[in-house]
Amino acid sequence: MTMPDFEHALDALAGRVSSLRAARAAYPADLAPTLDAALAELDTAAELLAEAREQLRKSPKRAGAKRDGGAQRELKLLRQVFRAFPVPVIVLDGGGVVRRINPETSRMLGSPDGYLVGRSFPLLVDVSRRAAFRSHLTSALQTGQPSAFETRLAHQGRTHTVQLAMTRLTMPGEPQQMVAAIVLPIEVQVAEPGARRPEQSDGALLLAAAKRQDLLVKMATLLLDEEALRRPVALPRATRLLAAEWADWVIADVVRDGVPRRSAVMAPKDQPLGELARQVESADPATSHVVLQVLDRGSGVVHEMVEDETLLGFCADGPVLTAMGASSLLSVPIGSGDGVLTLVRTNGRQPFALADLAVMQEVGLQLGLAVRAQSSFQSRSRAADALSASVAPRNLPDIPGYEAAAVYHPGSSVGAEFYDVFPVAGGWGFALGGAAGKGEEAASVTAMVRGGLRALSVWESDPDLVMRRVNEALVAQGSGLFVMAVAGFVQGRTIRLSSAGHHPAARVRNDGTVRFVAGGGVPLGIAREAETQVETLTVPVGETLVLYSEGLVSSRNARGEPYGDERLADVLGRCAGQSPSTVVKAVEADRHAFSEGQVWDEIVVLALRGV
């Protein structure tokens, strides 16, 4: 065949292929005749390629430079024919790696020219047909007979049902035999020559950038929520958000005791993958090459096409990525070595790109900060709970002949104030007070005083003796802090009080009259010899004794005015005859309204009513 004849045959083939495309578009419900004709055209294309190869073999050999120049012209001609071929053609080596690809294939798959060269072609083939593809490839290489089968190809977010025909090819200058794979799309229209890919349009690029920015805003809002600090919900929430918008699979591995451990797995919602999800959850991330690589380097990686399906380790069904049907993968560090976040997309979805890697790096940084903040918050919360437990009982015991109720509000720091109710020899005891200071040192002093009052009351029958011994212990400690406190022992209707610089208790009588006891004395911890104020009261039925902390009467409003004893007396007078729980709630509500909800210092109110 002469060159003009060959060019004429190529033009005719291009015209017939165009007609088949038009027929497919016009009669989508009746594809059988079109497919039969397309297969015939594949045979024609294969014959043209074979004849072109034969013509090259029969080319007369010339000596010296002429021979070399002729060979170069023939190779150039063959390349031009390959590039101009009107159907997608891919040249593969024996391992299925792409060696050559013509422009028509790039247009069909939506990838840049030459992008797929050097990559494994089976990664584009539907997972369920990859084994069949390798068998057809081997058959074409070994027998030299053409082999064809139907499959699906997925790349750049596009999915194509195609007829794939393969034939053995011996290429000049190549030491090994190749396979020419001709692709005929059945369901997806091939992009017109010169058309710009939709995902490269200015509008699409702007939309993708906006979507990435929106993700960062959503992630920040999600992770800054107060619940994300109080409860371990940051990782599950983040993985759910990413699985909903960015990936088919999302995996979070967190480093604990120096070893990565699987923390969260989000699987596709539209497939029955419960068993596979459980296998992925149970897989050991320490065996995952990509997880260890990200932890070691401290930076993320993106695999636009997954060529090594063992990157994420193994599960019961083999490589994890194979079981997932993965086509693209992205992994980024969580914080600074706190873990690894891995996103996987399956066949048919747009692959991850470098722009996605950049935004996920930021997501990983945000997630790491959130996890650390959560850990710090919970540690402090546990410490605060421990301090609260050391300064206030969880429940008030039943005191024979009395009803009791209390309210405790922590301020800007926990632990300076305390209250307690406990059994003593022949009756019950109570105590209330606070250290002059804030922070851990004040909390430790407060806890010591509370514990000392409770412990010494087992052997002493007089609260004043107990207060004096606690004072000796506090002075001996040499902390430099002093404590205002009041302790009382209850025996029948009699209450004996010992005050060390504390506010006087208030007595609320049945007629609404409010009287304050003596109070006074010198705070504990100032001098070795305690100076206390002792008083014995009789509390009849219906009368309520109310003790309160410095934080209550020193609370201030927006104008800087203190709450004070007079306002407290006014509130208590309105609560005459009410239960202790009603009294403490009324005081709490009035102080809240006065200070507009602000609490700077701890507030304690303890009420005992004779019944």
Side-chain angles (χ1 to χ4, degrees), residues 189-412:
Q189 185 175 358
V190 180
E192 293 299 324
R196 192 180 188 189
R197 287 191 294 154
E199 61 271 20
Q200 289 183 331
S201 67
D202 294 337
L205 291 174
L206 184 61
L207 183 62
K211 184 179 178 183
R212 294 184 182 103
Q213 186 64 34
D214 181 59
L215 173 68
L216 291 177
V217 172
K218 286 182 179 179
M219 187 65 69
T221 302
L222 179 150
L223 296 178
L224 288 174
D225 182 73
E226 184 177 354
E227 188 181 8
L229 293 175
R230 295 184 179 278
R231 300 173 56 217
V233 297
L235 277 175
R237 283 184 170 185
T239 52
R240 278 196 295 270
L241 174 61
L242 294 173
E245 300 185 15
W246 281 82
D248 295 299
W249 290 84
V250 181
I251 302 170
D253 299 312
V254 176
V255 175
R256 298 191 185 96
D257 301 323
V259 179
R261 303 185 187 279
R262 192 128 296 168
S263 179
V265 174
M266 289 295 158
K269 298 295 188 295
D270 57 347
Q271 299 180 43
L273 296 174
E275 179 58 32
L276 179 55
R278 285 189 287 273
Q279 290 187 33
V280 176
E281 287 174 347
S282 62
D284 185 3
T287 64
S288 167
H289 173 72
V290 72
V291 170
L292 297 180
Q293 177 187 0
V294 170
L295 287 175
D296 181 55
R297 296 181 180 179
S299 60
V301 296
V302 60
H303 294 268
E304 295 182 58
M305 294 180 64
V306 175
E307 299 189 36
D308 182 0
E309 296 181 336
T310 67
L311 282 174
L312 209 55
F314 295 83
C315 62
D317 292 337
V320 171
L321 293 176
T322 302
M324 289 178 173
S327 63
S328 186
L329 176 145
L330 184 152
S331 288
V332 295
I334 296 175
S336 300
D338 298 315
V340 176
L341 184 66
T342 301
L343 284 72
V344 175
R345 287 177 179 170
T346 57
N347 286 302
R349 289 196 62 170
Q350 186 81 11
F352 291 114
L354 288 176
D356 299 317
L357 178 62
V359 75
M360 286 305 154
Q361 291 265 155
E362 182 64 26
V363 167
L365 179 62
Q366 290 184 5
L367 190 53
L369 292 173
V371 169
R372 292 203 171 191
Q374 173 187 294
S375 176
S376 176
F377 181 88
Q378 290 179 345
S379 296
R380 293 185 180 185
S381 179
R382 286 191 293 270
D385 289 343
L387 285 173
S388 296
S390 71
V391 300
R394 294 188 180 276
N395 298 293
L396 292 178
D398 293 329
I399 304 176
Y402 292 86
E403 286 183 317
V407 61
Y408 171 81
H409 271 303
S412 57

Side-chain angles (χ1 to χ4, degrees), residues 123-153:
L123 295 175
L124 278 66
V125 178
D126 186 75
V127 176
S128 64
R129 303 304 307 276
R130 286 179 185 174
F133 167 79
R134 292 188 175 96
S135 296
H136 282 277
L137 178 68
T138 302
S139 175
L141 276 171
Q142 292 181 350
T143 67
Q145 298 297 315
S147 180
F149 74 110
E150 183 178 311
T151 187
R152 285 171 27 130
L153 299 181

